[in-house]
Amino acid sequence: MGLTLQFVPYFEIEKLSSLGRIRKLLNAVKEGNIVLLEGRLTKEEEAELIKTTMEEINSDFKGIELAVIYPESHNVDFFKKMKQQLFNAILGDRQGLTILGPASIVKEIKKDPNKIQLFTSDPKSSGRRKKKRRG
Amino acid sequence: MIKLVKKFMKKVFRDLFRKRKSLKLGLYGPPNGGKTTLANRICLDWLGEEMGSVSNIEHETREVQIKEKITVKKGSNELSFSLVDTPGIATRIDYEDFLKKGLKEAEAKKRAKEATKGVIDAIKWLDNMDVVIVVLDSTKDPYSQVNITIIGNLAARDIPVLIVANKTDMKKSSVKKIKSAFPQYEVIGLSAKKGTNSEEFYEALFAIAG
């Protein structure tokens, strides 16, 4: 079985409302795609995405797996942090990468700050396959 | 002058209202982290009775549970609050997972449906909380997106957070891992089941909510 990775550049969601962003991502996932979004949603949008996912769960759609890789900012100095926040306020939060996929295909996403492991369900065997990405 | 008096009266009424309003202390986290076990521990310690049922099968708590008028005492200080135990937040719910745990099909489907509603309610209740204890299973990977989303949402709402690294009685437990995942928060390791480290937990609770 092949996997489809759909890349969504930030400019495609930039002008959308929160609801529009969630709808776009969820529609792509419900079509069976693993979505790679440039940047990330706001924390409130992430919570709303989980809420909407729960509302739509049925016998065909079991939910999503979600992970965000974001550059660590604890060790960044104050001026660099301010510069980044200003940049984000003007251009949107394009930093990092959001990965989401249907729970029926993506069994688990494990992550530490700079590495993501994506385990997919294999319908032909009970084992699991592993894809790695290093940030 | 009238404006000043009005402002003063407004402040007095607001403070009065705030003092009378019961503090809502929420328990949040992923399923099976031990939220209800901790709620039971707090209720047993200060009310002498338990709050809810616990189970090894995920999503045992599927409705928001509230226990009102709990008063915790430390020396001459008292902290009164309503304890709100919320269903575990998850991004996936599959009734087949419950079948694997031995539930019958109809029961598993019912549990899955109630669990999805529980997650929605837990998220809706975020706005009503004054202080939140995030209960994490210290034997599991702390970097799950659900944990990060819950804590991020509390931070975005300026709600004070205390993280409990639960299940320290288990062999695989690592409080250190949770501390390194959330360095900007106070993390207390405990076993809600066995009641270990309660002293330090209540001290941290006073510090954050008192």
Side-chain angles (χ1 to χ4, degrees), chain A residues 67-129:
Chain A
V68 181
I69 298 188
Y70 199 74
E72 286 292 310
S73 59
H74 311 308
N75 303 325
V76 178
D77 72 54
F78 178 76
F79 290 105
K80 272 190 184 164
K81 223 179 207 176
M82 284 293 288
K83 202 172 128 189
Q84 195 54 57
Q85 279 172 1
L86 189 69
F87 182 78
N88 289 349
I90 297 166
L91 296 170
D93 200 350
R94 292 162 192 250
Q95 280 200 92
L97 186 70
T98 303
I99 302 170
L100 65 157
S104 55
I105 295 173
V106 183
K107 203 168 172 137
E108 192 183 359
I109 303 177
K110 278 190 176 179
K111 97 177 185 181
D112 66 30
N114 301 310
K115 186 175 80 182
I116 270 192
Q117 291 177 296
L118 192 140
F119 299 92
T120 57
S121 305
D122 189 344
K124 284 177 189 164
S125 75
S126 57
R128 51 187 196 174
R129 290 180 289 161

Short mmCIF file of all heavy atoms in Angstrom, two decimals, chain A residues 67-129:
data_model
loop_
_atom_site.label_atom_id
_atom_site.label_comp_id
_atom_site.label_asym_id
_atom_site.label_seq_id
_atom_site.Cartn_x
_atom_site.Cartn_y
_atom_site.Cartn_z
N ALA A 67 1.63 15.72 15.22
CA ALA A 67 2.89 16.10 15.87
C ALA A 67 3.39 17.41 15.28
O ALA A 67 3.16 17.68 14.09
CB ALA A 67 3.93 15.01 15.70
N VAL A 68 4.04 18.19 16.10
CA VAL A 68 4.61 19.46 15.62
C VAL A 68 6.09 19.48 16.01
O VAL A 68 6.43 19.22 17.17
CB VAL A 68 3.89 20.67 16.28
CG1 VAL A 68 4.47 21.98 15.76
CG2 VAL A 68 2.39 20.62 16.03
N ILE A 69 6.94 19.76 15.03
CA ILE A 69 8.36 19.99 15.36
C ILE A 69 8.56 21.50 15.32
O ILE A 69 8.19 22.15 14.35
CB ILE A 69 9.31 19.37 14.31
CG1 ILE A 69 9.14 17.86 14.25
CG2 ILE A 69 10.75 19.71 14.65
CD1 ILE A 69 10.21 17.20 13.39
N TYR A 70 9.10 22.02 16.39
CA TYR A 70 9.28 23.47 16.46
C TYR A 70 10.64 23.77 17.07
O TYR A 70 11.02 23.12 18.04
CB TYR A 70 8.17 24.07 17.34
CG TYR A 70 7.97 25.54 17.14
CD1 TYR A 70 7.35 26.02 15.99
CD2 TYR A 70 8.42 26.46 18.08
CE1 TYR A 70 7.16 27.38 15.80
CE2 TYR A 70 8.23 27.82 17.89
CZ TYR A 70 7.60 28.26 16.75
OH TYR A 70 7.42 29.61 16.55
N PRO A 71 11.38 24.73 16.51
CA PRO A 71 12.71 25.01 17.07
C PRO A 71 12.62 25.43 18.54
O PRO A 71 11.74 26.21 18.90
CB PRO A 71 13.24 26.16 16.21
CG PRO A 71 12.24 26.41 15.16
CD PRO A 71 11.04 25.60 15.40
N GLU A 72 13.49 24.87 19.36
CA GLU A 72 13.51 25.20 20.79
C GLU A 72 13.89 26.65 20.98
O GLU A 72 14.81 27.15 20.35
CB GLU A 72 14.54 24.32 21.51
CG GLU A 72 14.08 22.89 21.68
CD GLU A 72 12.92 22.76 22.65
OE1 GLU A 72 13.02 23.30 23.76
OE2 GLU A 72 11.92 22.12 22.29
N SER A 73 13.17 27.35 21.87
CA SER A 73 13.50 28.76 22.07
C SER A 73 14.02 29.06 23.48
O SER A 73 14.31 30.20 23.80
CB SER A 73 12.27 29.63 21.78
OG SER A 73 11.22 29.26 22.63
N HIS A 74 14.14 27.99 24.33
CA HIS A 74 14.59 28.27 25.71
C HIS A 74 16.00 28.87 25.76
O HIS A 74 16.28 29.73 26.58
CB HIS A 74 14.63 26.98 26.55
CG HIS A 74 13.39 26.16 26.44
ND1 HIS A 74 12.15 26.68 26.67
CD2 HIS A 74 13.21 24.85 26.13
CE1 HIS A 74 11.25 25.72 26.52
NE2 HIS A 74 11.88 24.62 26.17
N ASN A 75 16.88 28.38 24.87
CA ASN A 75 18.28 28.81 24.96
C ASN A 75 18.61 30.00 24.05
O ASN A 75 19.74 30.42 23.98
CB ASN A 75 19.20 27.62 24.60
CG ASN A 75 18.93 26.43 25.50
OD1 ASN A 75 18.62 26.62 26.68
ND2 ASN A 75 18.99 25.24 24.94
N VAL A 76 17.59 30.50 23.36
CA VAL A 76 17.83 31.63 22.45
C VAL A 76 17.86 32.92 23.26
O VAL A 76 17.09 33.10 24.20
CB VAL A 76 16.70 31.68 21.40
CG1 VAL A 76 16.87 32.86 20.47
CG2 VAL A 76 16.66 30.39 20.61
N ASP A 77 18.80 33.84 22.91
CA ASP A 77 18.88 35.07 23.70
C ASP A 77 17.68 35.99 23.44
O ASP A 77 16.95 35.83 22.46
CB ASP A 77 20.23 35.79 23.49
CG ASP A 77 20.35 36.44 22.12
OD1 ASP A 77 19.46 37.22 21.76
OD2 ASP A 77 21.35 36.16 21.43
N PHE A 78 17.49 36.94 24.35
CA PHE A 78 16.30 37.79 24.37
C PHE A 78 16.06 38.52 23.04
O PHE A 78 14.95 38.53 22.53
CB PHE A 78 16.45 38.81 25.52
CG PHE A 78 15.32 39.78 25.61
CD1 PHE A 78 14.09 39.40 26.13
CD2 PHE A 78 15.46 41.09 25.14
CE1 PHE A 78 13.04 40.31 26.20
CE2 PHE A 78 14.41 42.00 25.21
CZ PHE A 78 13.21 41.60 25.75
N PHE A 79 17.12 39.09 22.46
CA PHE A 79 16.95 39.89 21.23
C PHE A 79 16.56 39.01 20.04
O PHE A 79 15.74 39.39 19.22
CB PHE A 79 18.22 40.70 20.95
CG PHE A 79 18.40 41.80 21.95
CD1 PHE A 79 19.36 41.69 22.94
CD2 PHE A 79 17.58 42.92 21.94
CE1 PHE A 79 19.52 42.69 23.90
CE2 PHE A 79 17.72 43.92 22.89
CZ PHE A 79 18.69 43.81 23.87
N LYS A 80 17.15 37.81 20.00
CA LYS A 80 16.82 36.89 18.91
C LYS A 80 15.36 36.45 19.03
O LYS A 80 14.64 36.32 18.05
CB LYS A 80 17.74 35.66 18.95
CG LYS A 80 19.01 35.86 18.19
CD LYS A 80 19.78 34.56 18.04
CE LYS A 80 21.10 34.81 17.35
NZ LYS A 80 22.01 33.70 17.52
N LYS A 81 14.93 36.25 20.29
CA LYS A 81 13.55 35.83 20.56
C LYS A 81 12.57 36.93 20.12
O LYS A 81 11.56 36.66 19.47
CB LYS A 81 13.39 35.59 22.06
CG LYS A 81 12.62 34.33 22.40
CD LYS A 81 12.56 34.20 23.91
CE LYS A 81 12.42 32.78 24.33
NZ LYS A 81 12.46 32.60 25.76
N MET A 82 12.91 38.18 20.49
CA MET A 82 12.08 39.34 20.13
C MET A 82 11.98 39.46 18.60
O MET A 82 10.91 39.69 18.05
CB MET A 82 12.68 40.63 20.70
CG MET A 82 12.46 40.80 22.18
SD MET A 82 10.73 41.06 22.59
CE MET A 82 10.49 42.72 21.97
N LYS A 83 13.13 39.29 17.95
CA LYS A 83 13.19 39.39 16.49
C LYS A 83 12.29 38.33 15.85
O LYS A 83 11.52 38.61 14.94
CB LYS A 83 14.65 39.18 16.05
CG LYS A 83 14.97 39.76 14.69
CD LYS A 83 16.47 39.68 14.46
CE LYS A 83 16.74 39.00 13.15
NZ LYS A 83 18.15 38.70 12.96
N GLN A 84 12.37 37.14 16.40
CA GLN A 84 11.57 36.04 15.88
C GLN A 84 10.08 36.30 16.07
O GLN A 84 9.27 36.07 15.19
CB GLN A 84 11.97 34.73 16.58
CG GLN A 84 11.46 33.48 15.87
CD GLN A 84 11.87 33.44 14.41
OE1 GLN A 84 13.04 33.49 14.08
NE2 GLN A 84 10.89 33.40 13.51
N GLN A 85 9.73 36.83 17.27
CA GLN A 85 8.32 37.10 17.56
C GLN A 85 7.76 38.18 16.63
O GLN A 85 6.63 38.10 16.18
CB GLN A 85 8.14 37.49 19.02
CG GLN A 85 8.09 36.25 19.92
CD GLN A 85 8.12 36.57 21.40
OE1 GLN A 85 8.15 37.72 21.80
NE2 GLN A 85 8.12 35.53 22.20
N LEU A 86 8.60 39.17 16.35
CA LEU A 86 8.21 40.25 15.45
C LEU A 86 8.00 39.69 14.03
O LEU A 86 7.00 39.98 13.36
CB LEU A 86 9.30 41.34 15.45
CG LEU A 86 8.95 42.63 14.72
CD1 LEU A 86 7.88 43.39 15.48
CD2 LEU A 86 10.18 43.51 14.57
N PHE A 87 8.93 38.86 13.63
CA PHE A 87 8.87 38.20 12.32
C PHE A 87 7.58 37.37 12.20
O PHE A 87 6.86 37.44 11.21
CB PHE A 87 10.11 37.32 12.17
CG PHE A 87 10.23 36.60 10.85
CD1 PHE A 87 10.65 37.28 9.72
CD2 PHE A 87 9.91 35.25 10.74
CE1 PHE A 87 10.76 36.61 8.50
CE2 PHE A 87 10.01 34.59 9.54
CZ PHE A 87 10.45 35.28 8.41
N ASN A 88 7.27 36.62 13.29
CA ASN A 88 6.06 35.79 13.30
C ASN A 88 4.79 36.64 13.23
O ASN A 88 3.82 36.28 12.57
CB ASN A 88 5.99 34.93 14.57
CG ASN A 88 7.01 33.81 14.55
OD1 ASN A 88 7.63 33.54 13.53
ND2 ASN A 88 7.22 33.17 15.69
N ALA A 89 4.83 37.80 13.95
CA ALA A 89 3.65 38.67 13.99
C ALA A 89 3.37 39.25 12.59
O ALA A 89 2.22 39.40 12.20
CB ALA A 89 3.86 39.79 15.00
N ILE A 90 4.43 39.55 11.85
CA ILE A 90 4.25 40.15 10.52
C ILE A 90 3.93 39.08 9.47
O ILE A 90 3.00 39.21 8.69
CB ILE A 90 5.51 40.96 10.11
CG1 ILE A 90 5.72 42.12 11.11
CG2 ILE A 90 5.38 41.51 8.70
CD1 ILE A 90 7.09 42.75 11.02
N LEU A 91 4.70 38.02 9.47
CA LEU A 91 4.60 37.04 8.37
C LEU A 91 3.84 35.76 8.72
O LEU A 91 3.61 34.90 7.88
CB LEU A 91 6.00 36.68 7.86
CG LEU A 91 6.78 37.83 7.23
CD1 LEU A 91 8.21 37.42 7.01
CD2 LEU A 91 6.15 38.26 5.91
N GLY A 92 3.47 35.62 10.01
CA GLY A 92 2.82 34.37 10.43
C GLY A 92 3.86 33.38 10.92
O GLY A 92 5.05 33.51 10.61
N ASP A 93 3.39 32.40 11.72
CA ASP A 93 4.32 31.46 12.32
C ASP A 93 4.66 30.34 11.34
O ASP A 93 4.04 29.30 11.33
CB ASP A 93 3.72 30.90 13.61
CG ASP A 93 4.78 30.32 14.52
OD1 ASP A 93 5.92 30.18 14.06
OD2 ASP A 93 4.47 30.03 15.68
N ARG A 94 5.68 30.60 10.50
CA ARG A 94 6.06 29.63 9.46
C ARG A 94 7.13 28.68 9.96
O ARG A 94 7.56 27.79 9.24
CB ARG A 94 6.63 30.36 8.24
CG ARG A 94 5.61 31.16 7.50
CD ARG A 94 6.28 32.19 6.60
NE ARG A 94 5.29 33.12 6.14
CZ ARG A 94 4.86 33.19 4.89
NH1 ARG A 94 5.32 32.38 3.99
NH2 ARG A 94 3.94 34.07 4.55
N GLN A 95 7.59 28.89 11.17
CA GLN A 95 8.66 28.03 11.68
C GLN A 95 8.10 26.65 12.00
O GLN A 95 6.93 26.51 12.34
CB GLN A 95 9.21 28.62 12.96
CG GLN A 95 10.17 29.74 12.71
CD GLN A 95 11.02 29.92 13.95
OE1 GLN A 95 12.09 29.35 14.09
NE2 GLN A 95 10.52 30.71 14.86
N GLY A 96 8.94 25.67 11.92
CA GLY A 96 8.55 24.32 12.31
C GLY A 96 7.73 23.61 11.25
O GLY A 96 7.54 24.10 10.12
N LEU A 97 7.27 22.44 11.61
CA LEU A 97 6.54 21.58 10.68
C LEU A 97 5.46 20.83 11.45
O LEU A 97 5.72 20.32 12.54
CB LEU A 97 7.53 20.59 10.07
CG LEU A 97 7.03 19.68 8.95
CD1 LEU A 97 6.77 20.48 7.68
CD2 LEU A 97 8.07 18.59 8.66
N THR A 98 4.26 20.80 10.90
CA THR A 98 3.16 20.05 11.53
C THR A 98 2.89 18.81 10.68
O THR A 98 2.75 18.92 9.47
CB THR A 98 1.89 20.93 11.61
OG1 THR A 98 2.22 22.10 12.33
CG2 THR A 98 0.75 20.20 12.31
N ILE A 99 2.82 17.68 11.33
CA ILE A 99 2.53 16.43 10.62
C ILE A 99 1.23 15.87 11.17
O ILE A 99 1.08 15.73 12.38
CB ILE A 99 3.66 15.40 10.83
CG1 ILE A 99 4.98 15.99 10.34
CG2 ILE A 99 3.36 14.09 10.11
CD1 ILE A 99 6.19 15.17 10.71
N LEU A 100 0.29 15.59 10.29
CA LEU A 100 -0.92 14.92 10.77
C LEU A 100 -1.41 13.91 9.75
O LEU A 100 -1.25 14.11 8.55
CB LEU A 100 -2.01 15.90 11.20
CG LEU A 100 -2.70 16.83 10.25
CD1 LEU A 100 -4.04 17.23 10.80
CD2 LEU A 100 -1.87 18.08 10.06
N GLY A 101 -1.93 12.83 10.28
CA GLY A 101 -2.40 11.78 9.40
C GLY A 101 -3.58 11.05 10.02
O GLY A 101 -3.83 11.18 11.21
N PRO A 102 -4.30 10.28 9.19
CA PRO A 102 -5.45 9.54 9.73
C PRO A 102 -5.00 8.42 10.67
O PRO A 102 -4.01 7.74 10.39
CB PRO A 102 -6.12 8.97 8.47
CG PRO A 102 -5.10 9.04 7.40
CD PRO A 102 -4.08 10.06 7.75
N ALA A 103 -5.73 8.26 11.77
CA ALA A 103 -5.37 7.24 12.78
C ALA A 103 -5.40 5.84 12.19
O ALA A 103 -4.70 4.96 12.68
CB ALA A 103 -6.32 7.35 13.97
N SER A 104 -6.18 5.64 11.13
CA SER A 104 -6.25 4.30 10.52
C SER A 104 -4.96 3.96 9.76
O SER A 104 -4.68 2.80 9.51
CB SER A 104 -7.45 4.23 9.58
OG SER A 104 -7.36 5.27 8.64
N ILE A 105 -4.20 4.97 9.38
CA ILE A 105 -2.94 4.74 8.65
C ILE A 105 -1.74 4.99 9.56
O ILE A 105 -0.81 4.20 9.60
CB ILE A 105 -2.86 5.66 7.40
CG1 ILE A 105 -3.97 5.27 6.41
CG2 ILE A 105 -1.49 5.57 6.75
CD1 ILE A 105 -4.09 6.21 5.23
N VAL A 106 -1.78 6.09 10.30
CA VAL A 106 -0.66 6.41 11.19
C VAL A 106 -0.96 5.85 12.57
O VAL A 106 -1.89 6.29 13.24
CB VAL A 106 -0.43 7.94 11.27
CG1 VAL A 106 0.79 8.24 12.14
CG2 VAL A 106 -0.25 8.54 9.90
N LYS A 107 -0.18 4.88 12.95
CA LYS A 107 -0.43 4.21 14.23
C LYS A 107 0.06 5.06 15.40
O LYS A 107 -0.59 5.18 16.42
CB LYS A 107 0.30 2.87 14.22
CG LYS A 107 -0.28 1.88 15.16
CD LYS A 107 0.30 0.51 14.90
CE LYS A 107 -0.16 -0.39 16.01
NZ LYS A 107 -0.57 -1.65 15.63
N GLU A 108 1.18 5.68 15.21
CA GLU A 108 1.78 6.45 16.30
C GLU A 108 2.83 7.40 15.75
O GLU A 108 3.51 7.08 14.78
CB GLU A 108 2.44 5.45 17.27
CG GLU A 108 2.85 6.05 18.59
CD GLU A 108 3.58 5.03 19.47
OE1 GLU A 108 3.73 3.86 19.05
OE2 GLU A 108 4.00 5.43 20.55
N ILE A 109 2.92 8.58 16.35
CA ILE A 109 4.04 9.48 16.02
C ILE A 109 4.81 9.71 17.30
O ILE A 109 4.26 10.19 18.29
CB ILE A 109 3.56 10.83 15.43
CG1 ILE A 109 2.70 10.62 14.18
CG2 ILE A 109 4.75 11.71 15.10
CD1 ILE A 109 2.13 11.90 13.58
N LYS A 110 6.07 9.32 17.32
CA LYS A 110 6.90 9.55 18.50
C LYS A 110 7.83 10.69 18.18
O LYS A 110 8.35 10.79 17.07
CB LYS A 110 7.73 8.30 18.81
CG LYS A 110 6.97 7.26 19.59
CD LYS A 110 7.94 6.20 20.05
CE LYS A 110 7.22 5.20 20.92
NZ LYS A 110 8.10 4.14 21.37
N LYS A 111 8.06 11.54 19.16
CA LYS A 111 8.98 12.63 18.84
C LYS A 111 9.79 13.06 20.05
O LYS A 111 9.34 12.94 21.19
CB LYS A 111 8.18 13.77 18.25
CG LYS A 111 7.79 14.81 19.15
CD LYS A 111 7.07 15.93 18.48
CE LYS A 111 6.87 16.95 19.56
NZ LYS A 111 6.18 18.12 19.22
N ASP A 112 11.00 13.50 19.79
CA ASP A 112 11.72 14.27 20.79
C ASP A 112 11.94 15.59 20.08
O ASP A 112 11.51 15.77 18.95
CB ASP A 112 12.97 13.53 21.28
CG ASP A 112 14.03 13.37 20.21
OD1 ASP A 112 14.10 14.24 19.33
OD2 ASP A 112 14.77 12.39 20.26
N PRO A 113 12.57 16.59 20.74
CA PRO A 113 12.55 17.91 20.10
C PRO A 113 13.00 17.95 18.64
O PRO A 113 12.49 18.72 17.85
CB PRO A 113 13.47 18.72 20.99
CG PRO A 113 13.32 18.10 22.33
CD PRO A 113 13.15 16.63 22.06
N ASN A 114 13.96 17.11 18.22
CA ASN A 114 14.49 17.24 16.86
C ASN A 114 14.29 16.04 15.96
O ASN A 114 14.85 15.98 14.88
CB ASN A 114 15.98 17.57 16.93
CG ASN A 114 16.22 18.84 17.68
OD1 ASN A 114 15.59 19.86 17.40
ND2 ASN A 114 17.07 18.78 18.68
N LYS A 115 13.54 15.09 16.41
CA LYS A 115 13.39 13.87 15.61
C LYS A 115 11.95 13.39 15.69
O LYS A 115 11.32 13.45 16.74
CB LYS A 115 14.34 12.81 16.17
CG LYS A 115 14.39 11.54 15.36
CD LYS A 115 15.45 10.59 15.90
CE LYS A 115 14.91 9.85 17.09
NZ LYS A 115 15.91 8.94 17.69
N ILE A 116 11.45 12.90 14.56
CA ILE A 116 10.08 12.36 14.56
C ILE A 116 10.12 10.94 14.01
O ILE A 116 10.79 10.66 13.02
CB ILE A 116 9.15 13.26 13.71
CG1 ILE A 116 8.55 14.34 14.61
CG2 ILE A 116 8.04 12.46 13.07
CD1 ILE A 116 7.42 15.10 14.02
N GLN A 117 9.41 10.03 14.67
CA GLN A 117 9.27 8.68 14.16
C GLN A 117 7.80 8.44 13.90
O GLN A 117 6.97 8.62 14.79
CB GLN A 117 9.77 7.66 15.19
CG GLN A 117 11.26 7.70 15.39
CD GLN A 117 11.68 6.73 16.47
OE1 GLN A 117 11.30 6.88 17.61
NE2 GLN A 117 12.43 5.73 16.10
N LEU A 118 7.51 8.08 12.66
CA LEU A 118 6.12 7.89 12.28
C LEU A 118 5.87 6.41 12.00
O LEU A 118 6.52 5.84 11.13
CB LEU A 118 5.88 8.75 11.04
CG LEU A 118 4.46 8.97 10.58
CD1 LEU A 118 4.31 10.41 10.13
CD2 LEU A 118 4.14 8.07 9.43
N PHE A 119 5.04 5.80 12.80
CA PHE A 119 4.74 4.38 12.64
C PHE A 119 3.43 4.22 11.90
O PHE A 119 2.42 4.80 12.31
CB PHE A 119 4.64 3.69 14.00
CG PHE A 119 5.91 3.76 14.80
CD1 PHE A 119 6.13 4.80 15.70
CD2 PHE A 119 6.88 2.79 14.66
CE1 PHE A 119 7.30 4.87 16.43
CE2 PHE A 119 8.06 2.85 15.39
CZ PHE A 119 8.27 3.89 16.28
N THR A 120 3.45 3.46 10.81
CA THR A 120 2.22 3.28 10.05
C THR A 120 1.68 1.86 10.22
O THR A 120 2.43 0.92 10.41
CB THR A 120 2.45 3.55 8.55
OG1 THR A 120 3.48 2.67 8.10
CG2 THR A 120 2.85 4.97 8.31
N SER A 121 0.36 1.76 10.14
CA SER A 121 -0.27 0.44 10.22
C SER A 121 -0.09 -0.24 8.88
O SER A 121 -0.26 0.39 7.83
CB SER A 121 -1.77 0.58 10.48
OG SER A 121 -1.97 1.35 11.61
N ASP A 122 0.25 -1.52 8.91
CA ASP A 122 0.37 -2.27 7.67
C ASP A 122 -0.80 -3.26 7.60
O ASP A 122 -0.87 -4.18 8.41
CB ASP A 122 1.71 -3.03 7.65
CG ASP A 122 1.98 -3.67 6.30
OD1 ASP A 122 1.03 -3.79 5.52
OD2 ASP A 122 3.14 -4.03 6.05
N PRO A 123 -1.72 -3.05 6.67
CA PRO A 123 -2.90 -3.91 6.63
C PRO A 123 -2.57 -5.38 6.35
O PRO A 123 -3.34 -6.26 6.68
CB PRO A 123 -3.75 -3.32 5.51
CG PRO A 123 -2.83 -2.50 4.70
CD PRO A 123 -1.71 -2.08 5.59
N LYS A 124 -1.38 -5.64 5.72
CA LYS A 124 -1.05 -7.03 5.37
C LYS A 124 -0.38 -7.79 6.51
O LYS A 124 -0.25 -9.00 6.47
CB LYS A 124 -0.15 -7.06 4.14
CG LYS A 124 -0.94 -6.76 2.89
CD LYS A 124 -0.04 -6.71 1.70
CE LYS A 124 -0.82 -6.21 0.50
NZ LYS A 124 0.05 -5.79 -0.56
N SER A 125 0.13 -7.07 7.49
CA SER A 125 0.74 -7.76 8.62
C SER A 125 0.44 -6.98 9.89
O SER A 125 0.00 -5.85 9.85
CB SER A 125 2.25 -7.85 8.44
OG SER A 125 2.85 -6.60 8.69
N SER A 126 0.70 -7.63 11.02
CA SER A 126 0.42 -6.95 12.27
C SER A 126 1.61 -6.09 12.71
O SER A 126 1.54 -5.38 13.69
CB SER A 126 0.10 -7.96 13.37
OG SER A 126 1.20 -8.86 13.47
N GLY A 127 2.71 -6.16 11.97
CA GLY A 127 3.90 -5.37 12.32
C GLY A 127 3.69 -3.91 12.01
O GLY A 127 2.64 -3.49 11.56
N ARG A 128 4.72 -3.11 12.23
CA ARG A 128 4.59 -1.71 11.88
C ARG A 128 5.84 -1.21 11.21
O ARG A 128 6.94 -1.66 11.48
CB ARG A 128 4.21 -0.88 13.09
CG ARG A 128 5.07 -1.07 14.30
CD ARG A 128 4.43 -0.28 15.43
NE ARG A 128 5.38 -0.11 16.50
CZ ARG A 128 5.13 0.65 17.56
NH1 ARG A 128 4.02 1.32 17.66
NH2 ARG A 128 6.03 0.77 18.48
N ARG A 129 5.61 -0.27 10.26
CA ARG A 129 6.73 0.29 9.54
C ARG A 129 7.12 1.61 10.16
O ARG A 129 6.32 2.27 10.79
CB ARG A 129 6.32 0.50 8.07
CG ARG A 129 6.15 -0.79 7.33
CD ARG A 129 5.77 -0.52 5.92
NE ARG A 129 4.41 -0.02 5.83
CZ ARG A 129 3.94 0.63 4.79
NH1 ARG A 129 4.71 0.90 3.77
NH2 ARG A 129 2.68 1.02 4.75
#
